[in-house]
Amino acid sequence: MKQKSNSPSNSNDDSRKAILRSSGIYAGSNFVSMFLRIIGGILTSRCVDPSVLGLYNGIGLVGGYVPFLQLGVMNGLNRDLPVSIGKNDPELSNRLTAAAQFWALCIATVLSFGLFGISIYYAITGQMDLAAGWLSHGINVFGIIFATSFLETMFRASSNFPVLAGIRLTRMVASVVFVAFVYWFGWYGLCMRGALIAIVGLGLMWIKRPI
C-alpha cells in the first residue's frame, strides 16, 4: 500500500499555503475594516455639527505626538521579537516583551493621567463638555500606546495574523455600532464612542495576546 510522503518539500508547501492563507485573511479583513471605518466616519459626521466634530478631533491632536515619546522602544521590539520567535527562543521573547510592556505601561499611564488631570480641571471650572473630551482622549492615548503600539507588536507570527485581523474587524464593527451613542447624545455620545472603541480594542488585544 502506497503511503503519503512526508518529505521536506511537502512540509514547505504546507507552510507556504498556511502563510498565504493567513496573509489573505489579514489583507481581506483590513480592507473590510477600512470600509467600516469610512462608514463610521460618514455616519458620525451626519449626527453632529462640523464644529462639534472639529472640536473633538482638535483635542485628539495630542494623540498624534504620542509615538515620538516611545523613544524607539516599540520599534526595537518590532524588529527583534520576530527574530526571537523565528529562533524558537521563548525566553528571549518573554524578556523583550516584559521590558517593552513596562515601558509602554509607564508612558501610557503618565500621559493618560496628565490628560485626566486636564479633564478634572475643566470639570471643576464647570466646562463639562471639555472635561468629557479630554477624558475620552485620555483613554484613547492609553489605547494608542499600550494596545496599538505595544500589544499589536506581539502578533508577529503568521499564525497570529488571522487573530489580529479578527480583533481589528471587531473593533471597526463596534465603531459603527457605537455611532448610535453619537446620534442619541451628541457631543457626549461622541466622547463615549471614542473611549469605548479604545476600550474594546485594548480588551481584545490583551485577551488574545500570543505572549
Side-chain angles (χ1 to χ4, degrees), residues 19-42:
I19 292 173
L20 289 174
R21 182 168 57 251
S22 297
S23 300
I25 293 172
Y26 185 72
S29 176
N30 281 346
F31 178 79
V32 175
S33 296
M34 182 178 64
F35 176 75
L36 290 174
R37 184 172 186 173
I38 293 172
I39 294 298
I42 293 173

Side-chain angles (χ1 to χ4, degrees), residues 142-181:
F142 192 93
I144 290 172
I145 296 175
F146 198 72
T148 305
S149 297
F150 168 63
L151 290 175
E152 192 168 313
T153 305
M154 294 195 291
F155 293 82
R156 282 296 170 261
S158 60
S159 58
N160 299 143
F161 289 169
V163 178
L164 181 58
I167 292 173
R168 287 181 172 177
L169 185 58
T170 303
R171 184 173 178 270
M172 286 299 102
V173 170
S175 74
V176 175
V177 173
F178 293 153
V179 172
F181 291 116

Side-chain angles (χ1 to χ4, degrees), residues 155 166-167 170-171 199-209:
F155 293 82
I167 292 173
T170 303
R171 184 173 178 270
I199 291 170
V200 168
L202 176 60
L204 290 174
M205 287 280 187
W206 179 257
I207 293 171
K208 298 294 185 179
R209 69 192 188 282

Side-chain angles (χ1 to χ4, degrees), residues 65-66 69 106-117 138 141-142 145:
Y65 298 96
V66 166
L69 300 176
C106 287
I107 296 296
T109 301
V110 169
L111 291 179
S112 295
F113 273 87
L115 298 184
F116 293 157
V141 163
F142 192 93
I145 296 175

